[in-house]
Amino acid sequence: MAEQLNLKTVEFDSRFPNQNQTRHCWQSYVDYFRCVNSKGEEFEPCKQFYKAYHTLCPNEWLEKWDEQRESGAFPAKLDA
């Protein structure tokens, strides 16, 4: 038997009501790292942001932003 996958999309966020989800992607990425920096990676609510940005953001953007964070050149403040 084939293993059944349970796929879900990101839940509706009233801050981003339009079809273009670019801002939702960006904000979820920023919110995740702010949450992790404040509460730690195991804090369950942070995982919602992680799932959102991994669902909404193109991999190329994530790679670029990760590189920017690692080099200290990321354009948003991620401190708690």
Side-chain angles (χ1 to χ4, degrees):
M1 284 189 181
E3 188 176 327
Q4 184 176 357
L5 296 175
N6 185 11
L7 300 176
K8 291 184 176 181
T9 189
V10 176
E11 293 183 23
F12 177 75
D13 187 332
S14 61
R15 297 177 299 169
F16 309 100
N18 300 319
Q19 288 182 340
N20 184 339
Q21 294 294 300
T22 302
R23 291 194 66 205
H24 191 178
C25 156
W26 167 261
Q27 193 62 54
S28 295
Y29 184 89
V30 169
D31 288 345
Y32 172 74
F33 286 100
R34 285 181 180 163
C35 184
V36 166
N37 290 338
S38 174
K39 303 290 186 179
E41 287 186 33
E42 298 305 316
F43 188 61
E44 193 64 32
C46 294
K47 295 177 183 179
Q48 175 184 347
F49 298 124
Y50 179 87
K51 291 176 186 175
Y53 86 75
H54 269 277
T55 300
L56 296 170
C57 300
N59 290 333
E60 295 82 18
W61 294 4
L62 299 179
E63 291 169 8
K64 177 182 176 183
W65 295 340
D66 288 344
E67 289 172 7
Q68 288 176 333
R69 276 189 313 101
E70 291 168 11
S71 71
F74 190 70
K77 186 175 179 181
L78 301 176
D79 299 339

